[in-house]
Amino acid sequence: MTTHPQPRPLPLSLSPFRPAEDGPLLHTWVKTPVELMTWAGPSFTWPLDDAQLAAYAAEPGRHTWTAVSPGNHRIGHVSVAGTRLGRVLIAPEQRALGLGRALVSQVVGLCFGELGLPEISLGVWAHNTAAIRIYESLGFRTEQILEDVEEVDGALWTAHQMRLTAPTR
């Protein structure tokens, strides 16, 4: 029987999202209306601008973070509003390296630890299979599928509503 080494967790830290400093980077990561819809759903309008990012970061009850790798490279973004995880984004040049899973895993730990949330919910587009795989690998389960809820570039998009309950103590 062959055993495979467990992958090492990728080091990253969460820094509070600062629209003036981190917003310009988001502009370079979200380059089209379709990318904006994929990242944030219909809550922002194209083109994404600084005023929208400032208002988003200032929403009461919303926690927003920039993911930072060793060497202080900003490589991602994530937020939590109430019990809703969202706006997960990894820099395009950093994708497919396991950073998305590392980021979500860290935020889940923070939500159930420091924030004391009883559960975490999220929505993800059905065609975003890489994200769905990450969420499922961390224990999220689809509770509802919303068929054809958004029209984007003439195509109807379906959303998965997923949930993860805090571990029992």
Side-chain angles (χ1 to χ4, degrees):
M1 175 181 207
T2 305
T3 60
H4 298 283
Q6 291 295 316
R8 283 184 338 155
L10 298 167
L12 60 84
S13 60
L14 297 176
S15 174
F17 174 70
R18 298 176 317 243
E21 291 84 9
D22 301 326
L25 199 53
L26 284 180
H27 292 294
T28 68
W29 295 348
V30 180
K31 297 178 184 174
T32 69
V34 171
E35 288 177 354
L36 181 62
M37 180 63 74
T38 301
W39 172 57
S43 57
F44 290 112
T45 57
W46 184 258
L48 182 61
D49 60 36
D50 294 337
Q52 290 181 85
L53 289 174
Y56 153 69
E59 288 175 17
R62 181 175 297 279
H63 303 275
T64 56
W65 298 281
T66 297
V68 181
S69 70
N72 206 29
H73 301 288
R74 292 175 292 175
I75 54 94
H77 178 86
V78 65
S79 75
V80 174
T83 62
R84 188 99 171 149
L85 172 68
R87 316 271 165 59
V88 179
L89 184 64
I90 296 295
E93 68 278 4
Q94 298 293 320
R95 293 180 186 156
L97 301 174
L99 294 168
R101 187 177 196 288
L103 173 57
V104 174
S105 179
Q106 185 163 349
V107 172
V108 165
L110 190 139
C111 286
F112 291 148
E114 184 179 321
L115 298 180
L117 299 181
E119 66 182 19
I120 305 167
S121 64
L122 62 86
V124 59
W125 299 115
H127 62 272
N128 193 347
T129 56
I132 291 171
R133 279 193 305 274
I134 289 170
Y135 299 136
E136 288 176 341
S137 77
L138 294 170
F140 284 87
R141 295 295 169 247
T142 298
E143 291 198 326
Q144 185 178 19
I145 296 177
L146 305 174
E147 297 282 343
D148 302 337
V149 293
E150 199 69 45
E151 184 174 343
V152 181
D153 268 2
L156 293 173
W157 286 15
T158 294
H160 286 228
Q161 300 300 305
M162 303 181 82
R163 183 172 316 281
L164 177 64
T165 303
T168 55
R169 301 184 199 276

